Amino acid sequence: MTKPIAFIDLGAQRAKLGKRIDTAVMNVVDGGAYIMGPEVKTLERQLAEFVGAKHCLSCANGTDALGIVLMAWGIKSGDAIFVPAFTFVATAEVVAWVGATPIFVDVLPDTFNMDPASLERAVATAKTLGLNPSAVMPVDLFGQAADYDAILPIAERHGLKVLADGAQSMGGVWNNKRVGSLAEVTTTSFFPAKPLGCYGDGGAVFCNDDALQALMVSLRVHGQGTDKYDNVRIGLNGRLDTIQAAILIEKLAIFPEELIARQRVAERYNAALGDVATVPTVDRRAASSWAQYTLQTDKRDAVVAACKAAGVPTAIYYPIPLPRQTGYRHYPSVEGGTPVSETLSRRVVSLPMHPYLDEAAQDYIVDTVRKALA
Ligand SMILES: *Cc1c(COP(=O)(O)O)cnc(C)c1O
């Protein structure tokens, strides 16, 4: 290999965008509107249009995005919020922020996403514990939308609000609709390694509800009221930097073609590895944004070691399900536990995945993985 293989090659994207990024950043630097400059509004309008939502609220990161929604909904102590056991910690963290109780729900072994049957059982678990079932937070893991066709009716039957954690699935599709328009509220993250990333932290909330949007606009800036020195509620400093908005406007312009390139990379992996490992299953109703390309194998250690020796970066998302993480052990899981999440945490390994992975590098990765599994 002439150049080292990147897990996510942001340098290649930077080279492609070239002067457009330099110009966008310098316009903000010279313009001086560093906080809530015009690029922020422009980006919000473009993102809302891209996902098909009425409103977009940009914010400081994907965790704040989730937290702002729970604050706006008035989620509080005594409320049970259903979150998958197999996800990034932020999904459950924000529930604890507002004093509510996350209840861990198991996931499906093929899509890695929330198991609707486990959610149904978890509602009963919450009631047994004397908690008030209030909301469900499906996560679109690794870029694929959760099964909203199954989850939304369960939520409706039990009076649960639905907050879709789309931190990994920007650009993903379900039933021909973009992530961002699939649930009453969706959040996303622009952390650099996400499908649509900026050059720092960033996030957004999508919804169609005018009143909710107005509340979140206030929460984003310390709970300010119409008189900005009369803060009418407890909020946070959750704004997106203007520089990050300017960068995202340039990246959004090439995002559709990047999604096509990611799909091409995923299909080549599937074809080349399907006989030696369990390749990712994408529901026929879904198109993934391929935040991660994640294999399952009982010989994970061998794959990781062979890749390391060959200079192929790998990652394990996630090695410890949330119910076993130190800060989260005291929170309840669905009756019967989360065995699928446990199994996945031992079997998953993610391979390099980005739009600029060329065929020669991918063939080298495939060869390395195949040899390890031979
Ligand atoms: C990355 C991520 C978040 C948090 O996003 P940040 O921008 O890093 O705060 C939340 N949920 C999931 C599932 C994520 O992958």
Side-chain angles (χ1 to χ4, degrees):
M1 290 272 98
T2 45
K3 94 180 190 335
I5 295 178
F7 191 69
I8 297 173
D9 193 349
L10 294 174
Q13 186 196 49
R14 170 79 181 98
K16 180 185 167 87
L17 287 165
K19 276 270 168 289
R20 292 162 63 179
I21 294 281
D22 303 48
T23 306
V25 170
M26 285 317 291
N27 280 345
V28 177
V29 171
D30 293 338
Y34 308 130
I35 301 292
M36 297 304 277
E39 289 83 357
V40 175
K41 273 263 161 301
T42 301
L43 175 71
E44 288 178 339
R45 214 175 40 242
Q46 290 182 357
L47 286 171
E49 189 181 340
F50 179 77
V51 307
K54 183 167 180 195
H55 299 294
C56 169
L57 180 98
S58 64
C59 59
N61 55 71
T63 308
D64 280 4
L66 292 165
I68 286 171
V69 176
L70 296 187
M71 289 167 78
W73 281 346
I75 301 292
K76 58 187 185 302
S77 173
D79 290 339
I81 313 297
F82 304 99
V83 301
F86 193 67
T87 177
F88 181 64
V89 65
T91 318
E93 181 181 28
V94 295
V95 177
W97 279 6
V98 296
T101 304
I103 297 193
F104 301 115
V105 175
D106 211 359
V107 298
L108 295 164
D110 52 354
T111 62
F112 311 108
N113 281 330
M114 184 177 274
D115 176 355
S118 182
L119 170 62
E120 189 80 66
R121 279 196 300 280
V123 174
T125 305
K127 290 179 182 160
T128 306
L129 294 170
L131 296 165
N132 172 37
S134 298
V136 55
M137 296 169 67
V139 176
D140 305 335
L141 209 73
F142 304 150
Q144 175 172 205
D147 184 351
Y148 292 100
D149 292 358
I151 291 171
L152 296 187
I154 295 172
E156 182 159 349
R157 191 146 22 84
H158 296 288
L160 305 174
K161 293 181 166 300
V162 181
L163 168 49
D165 183 347
Q168 302 182 6
S169 59
M170 188 67 187
V173 171
W174 180 262
N175 284 337
N176 298 313
K177 286 167 72 183
R178 282 254 194 238
V179 165
S181 63
L182 306 175
E184 63 183 294
V185 185
T186 304
T187 61
T188 197
S189 164
F190 305 122
F191 183 82
K194 309 284 174 161
L196 179 64
C198 58
Y199 287 155
D201 279 307
V205 185
F206 300 101
C207 73
N208 293 331
D209 180 334
D210 298 348
L212 178 68
Q213 178 72 8
L215 199 48
M216 296 192 299
V217 165
S218 163
L219 287 166
R220 178 174 62 180
V221 193
H222 306 291
Q224 84 180 12
T226 34
D227 171 351
K228 76 176 199 177
Y229 294 105
D230 181 22
N231 295 290
V232 297
R233 56 183 64 83
I234 308 300
L236 69 161
N237 174 0
R239 295 169 296 230
L240 178 71
D241 288 343
T242 310
I243 285 185
Q244 299 304 343
I247 290 162
L248 282 165
I249 288 169
E250 299 308 322
K251 290 208 187 193
L252 182 60
I254 61 163
F255 189 47
E257 58 192 86
E258 289 191 338
L259 288 167
I260 292 167
R262 284 174 183 274
Q263 177 64 26
R264 191 163 56 233
V265 170
E267 282 170 15
R268 280 192 96 240
Y269 271 141
N270 286 345
L273 294 169
D275 60 329
V276 292
T278 305
V279 296
T281 301
V282 176
D283 190 286
R284 63 187 162 71
R285 293 160 291 183
S288 180
S289 62
W290 296 108
Q292 300 296 338
Y293 183 87
T294 304
L295 294 176
Q296 293 183 56
T297 168
D298 289 331
K299 297 194 221 156
R300 178 173 72 189
D301 291 351
V303 171
V304 170
C307 286
K308 185 151 192 253
V312 173
T314 59
I316 293 172
Y317 303 116
Y318 295 92
I320 314 176
L322 291 179
R324 277 198 298 111
Q325 294 198 17
T326 307
Y328 292 82
R329 272 178 207 154
H330 60 293
Y331 289 116
S333 290
V334 58
E335 177 82 49
T338 54
V340 175
S341 300
E342 287 298 327
T343 303
L344 288 174
S345 69
R346 288 189 297 269
R347 281 171 49 86
V348 289
V349 56
S350 301
L351 301 182
M353 164 53 81
H354 59 82
Y356 307 97
L357 186 62
D358 63 49
E359 294 193 354
Q362 191 176 18
D363 291 344
Y364 178 75
I365 297 164
V366 164
D367 274 357
T368 306
V369 172
R370 289 193 67 89
K371 277 190 201 128
L373 292 172

